[in-house]
Amino acid sequence: MRRRPGIGGLQKAAAARDQYRLLGENVAKLRTDMMKEQLATFKSQLEEFARKHKNDIRKNPAFRAQFHEMCAKVGVDPLASNKGFWAELLGIGDFYYELGVQIIEVCMQTRSLNGGLISLQELCSHLRQRRKKDREAVTEDDCLRAISKIKVLGSGFEVITIGKKKLVRSVPTELNKDHNQILELAQGQGFVTVEEVQRRLSWTSGRVIDALETLLEEGLAMIDNGSKDGKCQYWFPCVSSVYSFVGSDT
């Protein structure tokens, strides 16, 4: 029969547990301190890198994207504030603020044509036309970063993905699954017909017409009754290259 440990044994066991706990806490603290020290070193090196390559970061979009990746790895957001070290050093805050304003302007000017839904590719094309004199190239990555800052303001801007395309939505239109499927289908030639949607998606005519009427009401679609086969075509400027550069000089 095993004997139960006495009071002295229980106290020794408790003391040993306390020692192990303290040892674990000390090891965890040492690791945390080492990580903080390494992070501080990385941030310092990042600042030095930014000073050295300031012009490249401003002028070269590929270089700028790589710089953002480096920042993300050490928890630095150069766009977090328009005032502060990074904004003063690189002017990055000003760059994205100006780009954000231009994105809003393009979306407002093209809204009557596309209903407030424009492809990211087309948006970049408009912006490049506007910024030729600035000689600062703009990429889709730059646009996405600028839009993420606009979105924080609660301005209704959002990037959505439909099929293979990224679309920028500048109006609070709610698209359901049916609308998204029609837009994805239209990416092939820029338009759809009721018959094509019925055939390709195996929908009833009522379901197709209901979805298309909603897209028309929201200003996202345009009707063309002049096709050779006599079928009504529903065109979508947000996914059609036919309308891509209309109003680009406005």
Side-chain angles (χ1 to χ4, degrees):
M1 185 175 179
R2 296 180 62 184
R3 295 177 59 189
R4 294 182 179 178
I7 295 176
L10 291 173
Q11 290 176 338
K12 287 181 180 179
R17 284 197 298 272
D18 288 340
Q19 287 180 345
Y20 285 130
R21 179 177 57 78
L22 289 172
L23 180 61
E25 289 175 355
N26 288 334
V27 170
K29 186 177 183 303
L30 283 171
R31 287 178 177 172
T32 301
D33 290 343
M34 288 178 63
M35 289 178 66
K36 286 181 178 178
E37 187 177 339
Q38 288 177 342
L39 189 59
T41 301
F42 288 149
K43 287 184 177 179
S44 177
Q45 292 174 344
L46 188 62
E47 291 174 8
E48 184 60 34
F49 177 87
R51 288 191 182 93
K52 185 177 180 181
H53 299 285
K54 176 180 178 179
N55 291 332
D56 290 323
I57 293 170
R58 282 279 301 187
K59 302 293 183 182
N60 188 322
F63 204 92
R64 186 162 57 246
Q66 291 176 353
F67 174 72
H68 279 295
E69 289 180 12
M70 292 168 59
C71 288
K73 288 179 181 178
V74 294
V76 172
D77 184 2
L79 307 182
S81 172
N82 198 36
K83 298 178 181 179
F85 172 78
W86 295 105
E88 292 174 5
L89 175 63
L90 299 173
I92 281 185
D94 291 335
F95 174 87
Y96 284 102
Y97 171 77
E98 293 166 4
L99 184 58
V101 170
Q102 291 175 339
I103 287 173
I104 292 172
E105 290 175 349
V106 169
C107 288
M108 289 180 66
Q109 289 172 355
T110 59
R111 190 172 293 174
S112 61
L113 176 67
N114 55 37
L117 197 62
I118 184 172
S119 73
L120 182 61
Q121 184 179 17
E122 182 186 345
L123 176 61
C124 285
S125 296
H126 281 287
L127 292 168
R128 291 186 188 111
Q129 289 290 325
R130 282 170 167 259
R131 299 173 66 91
K132 276 184 176 179
K133 295 179 181 178
D134 297 336
R135 295 182 181 178
E136 290 180 349
V138 174
T139 65
E140 292 186 4
D141 180 75
D142 290 326
C143 289
L144 291 173
R145 293 182 189 280
I147 291 168
S148 72
K149 299 307 168 185
I150 298 172
K151 188 178 178 182
V152 172
L153 301 176
S155 52
F157 277 76
E158 185 180 10
V159 178
I160 60 175
T161 301
I162 297 178
K164 297 180 180 180
K165 278 185 177 287
K166 281 186 169 63
L167 305 176
V168 179
R169 183 167 61 192
S170 58
V171 292
T173 303
E174 288 297 328
L175 300 178
N176 62 30
K177 187 177 179 181
D178 284 3
H179 303 146
N180 288 341
Q181 285 185 276
I182 289 176
L183 285 171
E184 184 174 356
L185 190 60
Q187 289 179 21
Q189 51 191 358
F191 70 89
V192 297
T193 63
V194 173
E195 294 80 6
E196 179 189 10
V197 178
Q198 281 185 269
R199 186 181 71 257
R200 297 279 296 275
L201 301 180
S202 300
W203 291 359
T204 63
S205 61
R207 182 178 179 181
V208 177
I209 292 171
D210 182 64
L212 288 172
E213 287 297 323
T214 300
L215 292 168
L216 280 170
E217 289 172 6
E218 294 292 344
L220 299 177
M222 303 171 67
I223 290 183
D224 179 8
N225 291 312
S227 61
K228 293 180 180 180
D229 58 8
K231 293 180 180 179
C232 181
Q233 296 178 343
Y234 292 80
W235 284 85
F236 297 90
C238 60
V239 297
S240 172
S241 59
V242 174
Y243 298 93
S244 291
F245 295 98
V246 175
S248 63
D249 296 324
T250 58

